[in-house]
Amino acid sequence: MEITRRKSRVVKVGSVLIGGRNPVVIQSMTKTRTSDADSSVRQIRRLEEAGCQVVRLAINDFNDALALRKIKPRVNLPLVADIHFDWRLAVAAIENGADKIRLNPGNIYKKHEIEQVISALKSARVPLRIGLNSGSVRNGKGAKLTMGERLVSSCLDYVKIVERLKFDNIVISLKANNVLDTLEAYRKIPASCDYPLHLGLTATGSVYEGLIKSSVTLGALLLEGIGDTIRVSLTEDPAEEVRAAKGILEALGLRNFGPQIISCPTCGRCRVNLVEIVKKLEKGLSGPGSVNYRRPVKVAVMGCVVNGPGEAREADIGVAFGRGQGVFFKRGKITGKIAAKDCVRVILGELKTKEKTWLSKH
């Protein structure tokens, strides 16, 4: 199955291209006080290491806006200034190097305020994200509409104001705090514009619940070709948001971030500690010295003889365990047997050799 992406215009955020045929971009948000430049820089660098491509920062006051000037030279990721209530903070953020501005139509909606921000955006050639949240969407004429319809109606009203100011360097987000309202909003908006869409839910909760809701929602939309950039919002370390986003995109075949591990859930037939083996393998693939894989690679680690040989044979590298040892497969062929204690070391060694061989040919 091939996913057909929705056609959208391209918006440039710093050096990152969003929309068009460009890969779906991963975003996250710092959870530090932006005015604490050192802490913010440390977190942004950690996010970059995790795979984040664009980072948003909360701009609560002018100290936060001024801090962007200190942060930007020390990081590589484009910086998005998250603005609420005070339009002047948007202008200050632009003056201090923001690569994109996020405005919330629910709390910055007066025409003369929008005009001032758009003027500054034009001068700096910086894009705007019109970012709606269900918790702050204004009622107005949409009081009788569903939440999804209210998000779309409010967004399009705001888009018209901005377009009348001859500005179309826009990204849109329509986030509700539940799956169905979010799906409705994002499914309706493509009929009315071709701006890139930033996907996400708001206030999803803890890691467990947030991952489930985000995976269901973002996965459904991305399968329909909707979405150009995503954030998985979690009440957790922002690096976990990035890892979750990578997992969603990789599961759909939209991005590749390294070897995909295929492992069974284990049952009474399993005679090795497969849970421990898989955890060690995951750590070895993401820890210091790990290889930066540039193409999809499947690694199967299976616990018994029912589905194990078949899955291992279909993978690039695979192991199907029996009692304490397993049959080792490379590209569908059995190459020998391997003890459980040696499994992780051997697989990591094979992957490094495989990637070096591939790189030498390209």
Side-chain angles (χ1 to χ4, degrees), residues 93 111 115 162 185 229 264 328 348:
K111 187 176 179 181
E115 288 175 346
V162 173
T229 169
C264 66
F328 196 75
L348 292 176

Side-chain angles (χ1 to χ4, degrees), residues 138-149:
R138 303 184 74 211
N139 286 327
K141 65 183 180 182
K144 295 182 179 180
L145 302 177
T146 65
M147 177 53 71
E149 291 170 336

Side-chain angles (χ1 to χ4, degrees), residues 177-191:
N177 62 12
N178 68 82
V179 173
L180 298 182
D181 288 339
T182 305
L183 288 175
E184 181 183 23
Y186 279 108
R187 284 169 172 164
K188 285 182 178 295
I189 196 72

